[in-house]
Structures are given as C-alpha cells and as structure tokens.
Amino acid sequence: MNYCGGKIGGGGSDQRGNGGGGPCGACKFLRRKCIKGCIFAPYFDSDQGTVHFAAVHKVFGASNASKLLMRIPAHKRLDAVVTLCYEALARARDPVYGCVAHIFALQQQGVLQFNYLSFTNQVLMRNFGNNG
Amino acid sequence: MNYCGGKIGGGGSDQRGNGGGGPCGACKFLRRKCIKGCIFAPYFDSDQGTVHFAAVHKVFGASNASKLLMRIPAHKRLDAVVTLCYEALARARDPVYGCVAHIFALQQQGVLQFNYLSFTNQVLMRNFGNNG
C-alpha cells in the first residue's frame, strides 16, 4: 500500500526532493525553498509527491504532519508518511468517514465470513463430529 | 463506535457545548469564547469532549477540522466528528500507523478466515459435492 508517489528512500532526511536539484513535492506545493534536511524531501518527489502532499496538507496541515514526523524515528517515517497519505486521500474521497469507511467495510466482511464459517463448522461437526 | 464523549445532538449547530452555559470542550481547550453557532459545540462537551478535541487538535488542527465540518451537511457532521476522533486517538496511540494499523489487522484476519473457509469448503465439497 503505497499512496505516496514519492521517494522510497528509507529514513534519510538530509536529501532534497529532486536529487538535490529543485524543491521536493511538499516545498513545491508550499512554494518555499527546499532546504537541506527538509523533513518531507525523502518522501515527496516533485511530481506525484506534490499531489499527495496537497492532500496531507489539506487534512492534517503541513505543520502537524511535520511535527508528527519529527517525533518518529527516521527509519519509521516512510511508514508514517504512507499511512498519512492513505488517511488524507481517503478523507478527500469521503469527507464524512475517511478511511474509517474501510474499517467498517472490513468489519462487516469479517462478520459475514464468521457467520459462514460458523455454518460450515456446524455442518462439519454434524457429519464428522463423532468420527474421532 | 463513539470515541467522542460529546453531545450526541445530531446536526444542530446553534447550541453551545454546556447547555448554553460554559464553553464547549473545543473552546475550553482552545481557551476561547464559545459563541452561538460554534461548529464544535454540538459534538464536544466540556468534560470528555475536551480530551477528545485535544487529540483532534493535535492531529488535524482546529482550523482543518472546522473547515472539514463546514463542508459537510449538518446531519452528517456527527459521523464525521466520530471518525475524526477515532483517527486522532488511533494516531495518538500509534504515531506511525494510526488507525491504518486496524485496517492491516482486519485485512490479515480476513485472509486467515478466507483460507479457513476455503479449507472447510473443500472438505464439504469432497463429501457432499455429489449429493445434488
């Protein structure tokens, strides 16, 4: 599940978004200079990364996203960015339920599967329960 | 799933959080005057609502949460607040994965259930497949 069209660069944070050239996707969106050590640069490239950062910015805000990443160890930041993008894009598609709609759907699917499993278990037990 | 200890007041937005008395949980947290028509008042009471609004504020920011609610029809805002609280509290507990951890867990559980279902179906088909 990679919803960020960015750099899969791991935990490094001392690189800029566009190979040390132009700004990263976040700084491009924010129209600011992309400094060395930019917290967003390893994860948002200047192409699709800009689109995904726009969603993160709209839902969480650049400042909150930055603070969140700063509190997380560098090697876990890519995962955090992917989940932030996932939540932000889900909220953009469904402003009321966001990604919680996926949780509801999965829970409902789980209940259906559980009911069907209970039924098949009853059939199996009725027919093979006395074989042991 | 109600993660907001607030007013289950439906869609009204012309009430204050504490029965028209003190500030709602959001305004109490933000230390501001709770005006008539406060967007947060119907959903965050001045007790548990303050705690939940603190999480929403930390993750989404008061301004982003307010903008999001303003774009949603009044009768859907309670659902939106509940899902925002759910996401915010999940992110507070797990800064890297937030509520996406629940999606992973449910997906994994679904795969296990599906595999078990496939197995029981095979057993059933092997034993009863020719009965019809």
Side-chain angles (χ1 to χ4, degrees):
Chain A
M1 189 175 66
N2 185 351
Y3 281 75
C4 290
K7 325 250 305 176
I8 310 298
S13 61
D14 57 350
Q15 55 193 111
R16 271 174 286 184
N18 206 1
C24 73
C27 293
K28 190 176 165 189
F29 177 83
L30 296 169
R31 294 167 188 266
R32 69 182 188 187
K33 198 178 170 211
C34 189
I35 57 167
K36 190 170 160 66
C38 166
I39 189 88
F40 297 119
Y43 315 108
F44 296 94
D45 67 16
S46 61
D47 183 24
Q48 273 295 297
T50 310
V51 178
H52 292 137
F53 184 80
V56 169
H57 179 262
K58 188 174 179 183
V59 173
F60 298 100
S63 169
N64 284 342
S66 165
K67 279 183 205 157
L68 181 86
L69 291 179
M70 293 291 274
R71 287 195 300 267
I72 292 173
H75 71 282
K76 298 297 278 178
R77 283 183 196 153
L78 178 60
D79 283 0
V81 166
V82 169
T83 59
L84 283 177
C85 286
Y86 180 80
E87 282 187 54
L89 292 171
R91 186 64 68 176
R93 275 192 301 269
D94 183 344
V96 177
Y97 296 100
C99 73
V100 179
H102 305 173
I103 294 176
F104 284 150
L106 286 165
Q107 279 175 336
Q108 205 163 12
Q109 192 182 318
V111 169
L112 287 174
Q113 281 186 331
F114 180 81
N115 289 343
Y116 188 62
L117 258 177
S118 300
F119 167 72
T120 52
N121 273 343
Q122 278 171 23
V123 174
L124 285 171
M125 285 302 287
R126 211 178 302 136
N127 289 279
F128 304 106
N130 297 327
N131 286 1
Chain B
M1 188 175 68
N2 185 351
Y3 281 77
C4 291
K7 324 249 304 175
I8 311 296
S13 60
D14 55 351
Q15 55 193 117
R16 271 174 286 182
N18 207 2
C24 73
C27 293
K28 189 176 167 190
F29 176 83
L30 296 169
R31 294 166 187 269
R32 70 182 186 187
K33 197 178 172 214
C34 189
I35 56 167
K36 188 170 161 67
C38 166
I39 190 87
F40 297 120
Y43 316 108
F44 296 94
D45 67 17
S46 61
D47 184 25
Q48 274 296 297
T50 309
V51 178
H52 292 135
F53 185 80
V56 169
H57 179 261
K58 187 174 180 184
V59 174
F60 298 100
S63 170
N64 284 342
S66 164
K67 280 182 205 157
L68 182 86
L69 292 179
M70 294 290 277
R71 286 195 301 268
I72 291 173
H75 71 282
K76 298 296 279 178
R77 283 183 196 153
L78 178 61
D79 283 0
V81 166
V82 170
T83 61
L84 283 176
C85 287
Y86 179 80
E87 282 187 54
L89 293 171
R91 185 66 68 176
R93 277 191 299 268
D94 183 345
V96 177
Y97 296 101
C99 72
V100 180
H102 305 173
I103 294 176
F104 285 150
L106 285 166
Q107 280 175 336
Q108 207 163 9
Q109 191 182 319
V111 169
L112 288 174
Q113 280 186 332
F114 180 80
N115 289 343
Y116 188 62
L117 258 178
S118 300
F119 168 72
T120 51
N121 273 344
Q122 278 171 24
V123 174
L124 286 172
M125 284 303 288
R126 209 179 301 135
N127 289 281
F128 305 106
N130 297 326
N131 286 2

